[in-house]
Each structure stands twice: as C-alpha cells, then as structure tokens.
Amino acid sequence: MSPGDPKRTGFRLSTLLSRSWLALVLLCALCCADEPASLAPVAVCGRALAPPTIDGNLNEPAWRNAAMLAPFVLVATHELPTQATTCRVMRDATRIYLGFDCSEAKMPSLSMVTTERDDAHAWMDDCVHVFLAPLDPRHTYYHFVVTANNTVFDERALEDGQERQPWWNADVVTATRRGTDHWTCEMSILLEDLYEGQPPQDSWWFSASRAEHPHAEWSSWSLLNAGFHEFTNFGHLLWTDEPTVTSLELPAPFVGRNEYRISLGQASRSYITELQVIRDFQVFPKLPLRMTGGASASYGYDLQEEGDAAVRLIVRREDSHDLLYASPPVSFSVPRVRGLVEEMGARLASAAFTVSAAPDSPLRRQVTGEVSRLRDETRALGVAADKLARSARVPRDRWEELHRRAATLAPQARIAELRGLLVSRGAGSMPSFGLGVANSLQKLSPQDVGYSLSDELQLHSCRQERESGQVVVVSVGKPVKNARVQWTGLRGPGDARIDHDAIEIHRVGWVNTRQPLYQVERVGRWPDPLLPPEPFDVPAQEIQPLWVTVTVPADAVPGQYTGTLTVTAEGDAPQTVKLSLEVWDIQLPLHGKFRTGFGTVIRGDASQWYGLRGDPPEDFRHKFYSVLLRNRINPASLYIQEVWPLWSDFDWCYERGLNALSLGSLQVADTRRLMDMAEIAERLKQRNLLDMAYVYGYGDLSEEEVGLAREGFSKVRRALPGLRRASPVAPNKALWNYVNLWGTLTSEFDPVSAARRQRLGEDIWWYVCCGPRHPYANFFIDYPATDARTLFWAAYKYGISGFFYYEVAMWASNMLTQDIGDPSIVIHEDPAALEAIKDGHRWPDVPWNSYTFSRYNGDGLLIYPGPNETPLPSLRLEVIRDGIEDYELLALLEGLARKLKTLDPQGAHAYLVDEAMRLAAVSPQVVRDLTHFTSDPNVIAGERERVANQVLRLQRVVSQLEEERAQQP
C-alpha cells in the first residue's frame, strides 16, 4: 500500500430533480443537459495581502481572503467524510501558502510515528498531501506530505509518475497544531523550486488530500477514484486576480429542503453562482444566482428526486462566463420510496387486470382481494412519501422507514402478480410455486423481485460458446417442498439437436456475506456457489434461481433451438418453462486471443479440504482444470516455482482450450531453474507454441527487488529468447527491456504509457485482487455481476491481451478454527460454526465464511469445494467467461473488418468496415472508461447482439468477395 492506495469503495451518479417552484426551468434544463467536459475542481489562487506566520494558527487575518478549497470528498465514493477537511490557499510573488483544518473526533488515536524528514513511511501517519504541477503532470509533478506531528516528506515525480525522486527537496516551511477536536497545518513553498526557472502558467494542476487513520477515511479536494497520485484527475489553481471563494458549506443533500452557503472575496464585478446536479454522466444546472464581490449568501433549494446523484457548486464571471470556481462533486443517495411505489402500483394494476379476465372462482376472489389490499397499502405509502417530501426538513430516519416498508411490500406485490397470472392460466387451486426467468447478470437475493414472469428463457449464442440464464422458482405463499428439475435436449433446424448432456442445471446457492472493508449495497445473502440440482425446498415467499448453461458445439447448425425445463414439487402439478436458444452462424475459437493466468494451487487449500496428501492424483487435477477451462480460464502457478498445469497434463488441457502456460514464479534464476524452464520451452517451441508460455515474478518495486528482477529476467532473456517475462507491475522505467508482459492493476493502468510499450511489441495484462474497489470493477461477491463482464469489454477497448488473478480456491478461512496470526485469514465469527469445523464438518453443512481473504467477500475465490472431490463453479466465474467470450466476439468483428478492407480496395463496402470498427471500439454506453461502465444487463445484451449481427454481415460479404477472387483467372 502507498499514498496512492487508500481505501476504495463505490461511486455512482444518478437522477435528481430540483426545487418545485422551478419545475418549468428544470424541465428545460433536463431536456438540454450537458455532458460534463470535466468534473475536476477549480479555484483561484489569489494574492496574499500579507504572508501568514507559519505557526499552525489559521485564525490570523492573513488567511481571511485566502481561497477555501471545500468540501473534501472520500476517495472512490466521492461522498462527504465524517471527519471534514478544508484547505486554504493563496500566493505572493515568491511563495504559495496552504492552510489545512482537519476535524478529528478521535484526536488521541492519531497516528504520529515518523519523525525524520523524507521518511518514506510518512504517508502511513495522519497527514495531508499536496500535489503541484505547473506544467503537464505526465511530465513532472511535485508531492508534499506533512504529518500531524509536522514530519515532512517531499518528492518529484517524472515520466507519468513512474520515476519518483524522494531525494529532491524544496524550500518548504511547515507547522502543525493539535487541538481537542481538530488539527491544523500551515505550509509555505518556494515557487521557484517548482517551475525551475520557467514562469508559472495561468493554471496549475493541483490536488490537496488527507489520510485520516482513526476512522480510515482518505479524502481529497480532487475527484479521485483509487489513490492520491491520480494526476489525470487533479484539480486546477488559477493564477489570476479574480476574487476567491473564501467560504463554502455544501452539505450532502437529501429529499426536501436543502441549503448551501458561500462567500466571495472583495471585487467590483458580478458573478454567477450555480448549483449543478450530476446524473448519468450529465450535468443538470439549476437556476443561476447573481452575487457581487465581497458578498455572502445562503441559498435554499428543494430536492424531490430519489436515487444516487452528485451535486457541485460553480462560480463564473457574469460578463465573460469564465469559470473561477468548481467544487468537487459530492455524491449522495436518497433511498427509493416513490419509485418503488410506482413500480409496485404498475405490477398490482397488471395483476388486477389479469385476474379480472379469469373465470369467477373462490381462488379468483381470494387473489382479487389480496391485490386490492396491497394496492391500498401501496397508495397510502405513496401519499405518506409525498407529504413528507414537501416538508421543510425531512428526517432521514422517517424517510428510511418508508423505504423499509416499501422494500417489504415489493416482494408481496410481485408474488401477487404471479398468483394472478396462475389464476388466469386456469389454476383451480393455488400451487406452492410459480416460475419466472432472469438473465445471467442478475444477482438475485432470496426475496428479489427482479425476475421476469415470462414462461420462456431466451438465450443467444455463437458456436463453441457457453451461454447462461436463470429459471426462477418462486414460492407464491407457502413453502415449496422437495422440488425437482428435469430438462430436455434442444431441437433445432431439421434434424439438428443439442444433447441433454450439453445443458447443465445448477441450483444457485447463497452466501451470507459479512461487512467488508469496502462499501456495499447490502450485507446478507448473496448468490454465488452453483450447486448440484438435487431436490430442494424454497421457504415461503422466497425464490430459488436455477442456473442454466448451454454448451453449444462447434458443429451446431445455426438457427433456433427449443426445449423445456420442468419443475415439480411435493403436492403440486409440474410447471414448465420453454428453453429457446438462437445459435448464430459464428464460431468462437477454442484457443482465443484473450489469455488468462488464474492461480490454482490445488496442493494447498484444495488438497487439505479433501484430506489428500502428496501430489494430487490426475483425476483430481483434471476436475480442477476442467471447471476453469470450460470457462476459458487458464490454471496457473504464479507464486510457486512449477509449471502449471503440470507438463504431464499439458496435452489434456490444450485440447480443452488452454492458451497460456505459466512456467511458475521466477524467484531464484539459478542454473537448475533455467534448465527446467528451457526443457519445457524447447518442447513448446517444437510445436510452435512458445508464445503461450511465460515466467512470472517480482511485484515489489523496492530498490532491492528491482535489482533482483533485472538480474533474474536478464538471465531468462539470454537463456530463453522468445519466452515472455511477466511481472505484476504497471510499465515502469526501472524494468524497461527486462519485462515484456506487464501485469497492471486496473486502477494503475495508464493508456498512454501502456500504448508506448504495446508499440514495442510488449503485452499488457490486467489484474484485480483485494483492490481496486468501486468505482473500478472487481470480482467480489457483493459487487454487481456486470462488473465482472464489462471488465473484459474494457480490456478490448484498451487493447489488453490478458488477465491475471492470484487464486481461485482460497478455502483456508473455512477450515481453520482459531486465529493463526495471519491478517489475510479471518475465521468464522459464529462459535457454533467453529465447533462444527472442529468436529470435522465442512461446508455446506457449515455456513460458508465469506471472508476468504482478510475482510473481503469472495476475494481469491471463484470455485467452491463440491462433493466427490469435484469443485463447483461460482456464478462469478461463469460471468467472467461470458465477458471473455464477448472479447473474442469483438476480436472476430475487428479481424473481419480488416480483412474486408483488404479484399475491397475500392471501398465499395467501406460503410460496413466503418460500422464494424465503431462497434469494435466499444460503445461508451457499455464502457466509458475504467470507472464508468454500465450496470444495466440489457445494455450489454443489446450491444452484444449488434456486434454479432455485424459479424454475420461481414462474414457474408467477405465470403462473397473471396469466392469472386477465387474465380478470377
């Protein structure tokens, strides 16, 4: 962890409306909302009337006209921290002055360990950070850290921040003071040290941040997503003589009446202050308000929209409209009440209409009465929400209570809708269950209402692809007992068939998550393990999803296929869902372009789980390989000095799609190790497969580790030319020409520096682990499924050729019964579970401990221990597979477009090529960048279908042109 690696959590921007008396103005604004050019904060760095005394006292008159940079927002979530921070800034002819005021409710818990100038661990104390770049920060920026006990660290960063120079020192004077509930810091920095002989520009890149340890809050004036060193997200200081914003209070809004306060420095001009609401990457400005220099004002506004959004304040000159101030956006959330009421009302209205068309019967009257009761409760809830939202100050607890009531009613309304549907289909008595469907990107909780009531599960697939969906068994009132599932094969065009064995049905299991170190939507039961479809029960008014996966053979005839899935339960007639599969005339490659290396140390946790000793037997190994390879994941040895999969298993794995082979961790590049690797490399070379192999190592960029990496990779480069040399670091100048496969944490990925290495023929792979957190995608159990899928669309967008993941079977925390002093293993908190494990019991007889690595839910875990020494896939693993298959489809599209361009030099089909390349560039509706991507499964499905249709068009045209060329003399 470094100053660039604070806690990472989630960030969303959603809908918001404005004050009711401005409804017409706001409707116009909503219709012409602008996409923000930049959300970076901006402030004027005004001239100091007199230099302050650097003694930690911010109450002296010199600071009164200084610009206030506020509010600080949390890294990643962009919400307000509990411990507020403000920064004041001003300048004179020679120096820049900064004053921080850091609120702290736990002053005795401040971390103040370091005492020496330029101590590399200063960032680990409670401290403030300042970043300054007079020119492009990609070239150079300057970083200052001052701790609460006034320890100073400064450095210069060059080459996209890759080259750090902690030996560089500026003329900086600092002082800190500690009070009972806050601490302050004053800084004075010589400007000449920063621009090195060049005059300052009109605008400097700037960021001010704070590391707060007692509450584990990392906050910043800049809009940062993962770390303090994100220079592309720094704000800007304007070096003009305009007045500064000398005071700003911008609380996070809530439904109802809100207020912000602002003061401007002395000036004769007029200025426009504007509150902006940001939703779905768009800015919705409210009515601008006029202020004069030297004025202070308090402005009220009403908020009526629910959901997630952000708000910021900007100030412009009235005459020129020049932007003089922009606060960072403050994220906030209003729990949905009226939105849920509206959805329930629509469902209940549909249920009432459906039931009214059924013949009269006691069951019909019963369901009609139930629907009527729920409609009355829903209307009453909506009236209460409307009344509360119009009050001057809405108590958050009362609004949240309405939200809880609405969330409780929602499943009841959904079940009533399903009961009405069953009555309309002629049910003489109410069965214990009904059926619905859902797509593979919905993580359904036990009382979820997000499934569809359709009686048909529709899938679309290429040949040699696996495609998943969900059939949902819904308890419509009473418990479902002894449910069983059966299914048929699929019938296609003519005599075409997809066999019964090509269809796998799993019962979706739930894991009880624990409160993680990152922000999540909820803690509780999350779907993840895919269990055998043995007979099951469904508790009253809950659901049980069934995971359906079809493996489409490479020789499948294109066209429409149909079959059935039937569920029976004790005391009920069978119910059936139609399985529909459209097979596109597109074949994905077995050995695709996208490569992976996922750690699979089955000699460790997996062997221990099943009580195996020594080398795991071949059958056991093959079961582990299979669950990964079927999902386009290569098993790998990243941290042990061994080829993995074992060389004796290579042919078996290669026949099943293996396209990257780990020769293990380098660690020690001695003669024996090099000889072992050379033997495998020679065998691969003889089969023209050396390109798929790599050796892995050295993820620490300390001076000592860099020296070892250079020595080790130099030996490999000399002894084994052609073997790729992988290191889990972003492209770094210290390892140029030593590493040619860079494993980059997604939050540290820089497209510019990556492109430089790619132009030299080097590969960029990504990885995630316990970080980064939202707004970056990750594989945690309690993150949306869309995270795992869009990550691979993003990989294609940025030319990433592979992906590392450190481990897939971290099961240790589900076997241990006492703390072993390893912070990465947090044992069960339930004493009964610990006693059961001591007695030899294992999951699923014991609840699964979701803390598989430290306090992260599902980190390092993509497969579960199943019966008969057979691992079980997770829902997340299958979604990752779908993302990789999306990547392969995009690669096919781009390859066909380039081929068509070659076959068609006259450009008769240029429109097809242009459309294909636009699709291959990945729509911003799917992935805008690594912190902005869709969470809507329908957006992904729609774009995937557009890509497939374009592939089909290109295939037809390319085939036609190739045929015409073949017939030419």
Side-chain angles (χ1 to χ4, degrees), residues 873-888:
S874 65
L875 180 156
R876 292 171 293 141
L877 179 65
E878 300 229 342
V879 171
I880 289 169
R881 174 208 68 220
D882 286 340
I884 294 172
E885 289 177 337
D886 293 340
Y887 184 106
E888 299 298 343

Side-chain angles (χ1 to χ4, degrees), residues 179-313:
T180 57
D181 60 358
H182 74 131
W183 63 277
T184 59
C185 171
E186 284 186 298
M187 301 175 63
S188 167
I189 304 170
L190 183 66
L191 292 172
E192 190 175 88
D193 286 346
L194 306 180
Y195 54 79
E196 298 176 351
Q198 302 177 33
Q201 306 297 302
D202 293 339
S203 173
W204 283 30
W205 295 75
F206 174 83
S207 185
S209 305
R210 176 187 175 190
E212 192 273 351
H213 288 274
H215 299 84
E217 291 185 336
W218 281 256
S219 59
S220 179
W221 181 66
S222 296
L223 204 64
L224 305 177
N225 294 316
F228 291 163
H229 285 261
E230 289 177 6
F231 52 81
T232 55
N233 292 329
F234 286 175
H236 300 277
L237 288 183
L238 306 179
W239 298 73
T240 73
D241 292 329
E242 297 286 352
T244 61
V245 173
T246 57
S247 177
L248 175 64
E249 295 178 27
L250 183 60
F254 196 67
V255 67
R257 189 72 171 172
N258 295 276
E259 185 178 80
Y260 68 89
R261 300 172 184 271
I262 186 172
S263 298
L264 298 182
Q266 293 292 333
S268 58
R269 294 191 180 96
S270 296
Y271 302 88
I272 299 298
T273 299
E274 180 179 276
L275 194 74
Q276 295 182 335
V277 174
I278 306 164
R279 183 258 303 167
D280 294 337
F281 316 137
Q282 291 184 311
V283 171
F284 301 93
K286 289 185 175 287
L287 185 68
L289 301 165
R290 187 172 180 271
M291 288 185 70
T292 58
S296 297
S298 174
Y299 295 112
Y301 64 98
D302 285 341
L303 175 69
Q304 292 298 313
E305 188 73 3
E306 301 168 349
D308 300 326
V311 63
R312 73 169 180 170
L313 194 70

Side-chain angles (χ1 to χ4, degrees), residues 37-45 202-203 221 235-240 242-243 245 271-274 276 312-327:
S38 171
L39 294 178
V42 176
V44 169
C45 183
D202 293 339
S203 173
W221 181 66
H236 300 277
L237 288 183
L238 306 179
W239 298 73
T240 73
E242 297 286 352
V245 173
Y271 302 88
I272 299 298
T273 299
E274 180 179 276
Q276 295 182 335
R312 73 169 180 170
L313 194 70
I314 67 169
V315 178
R316 299 182 185 273
R317 272 182 57 173
E318 185 178 36
D319 52 3
S320 65
H321 302 290
D322 291 341
L323 180 66
L324 300 178
Y325 190 89
S327 74

Side-chain angles (χ1 to χ4, degrees), residues 440-441 443 528 547 594 598 633 766 768 774 776-795 803 805 862 874-887 926-927 933-935 940:
S440 61
L441 289 176
K443 289 189 175 182
D528 199 47
W547 190 266
F594 194 77
F598 281 38
I633 297 298
W766 279 345
V768 297
H774 276 167
Y776 292 91
N778 209 313
F779 299 154
F780 302 139
I781 289 173
D782 37 14
Y783 272 7
T786 45
D787 270 40
R789 190 152 181 184
T790 54
L791 195 49
F792 298 95
W793 288 77
F803 205 97
Y805 193 64
L862 293 174
S874 65
L875 180 156
R876 292 171 293 141
L877 179 65
E878 300 229 342
V879 171
I880 289 169
R881 174 208 68 220
D882 286 340
I884 294 172
E885 289 177 337
D886 293 340
Y887 184 106
V926 179
V927 174
F933 42 87
T934 187
S935 59
I940 297 172

Side-chain angles (χ1 to χ4, degrees), residues 915-932:
E915 176 65 10
M917 296 306 287
R918 184 188 68 79
L919 288 168
V922 179
S923 167
Q925 297 301 314
V926 179
V927 174
R928 184 180 181 189
D929 55 44
L930 285 179
T931 59
H932 298 91

Side-chain angles (χ1 to χ4, degrees), residues 346-363:
R347 285 181 176 143
L348 292 168
S350 172
F353 177 79
T354 301
V355 173
S356 67
D360 185 41
S361 69
L363 183 60

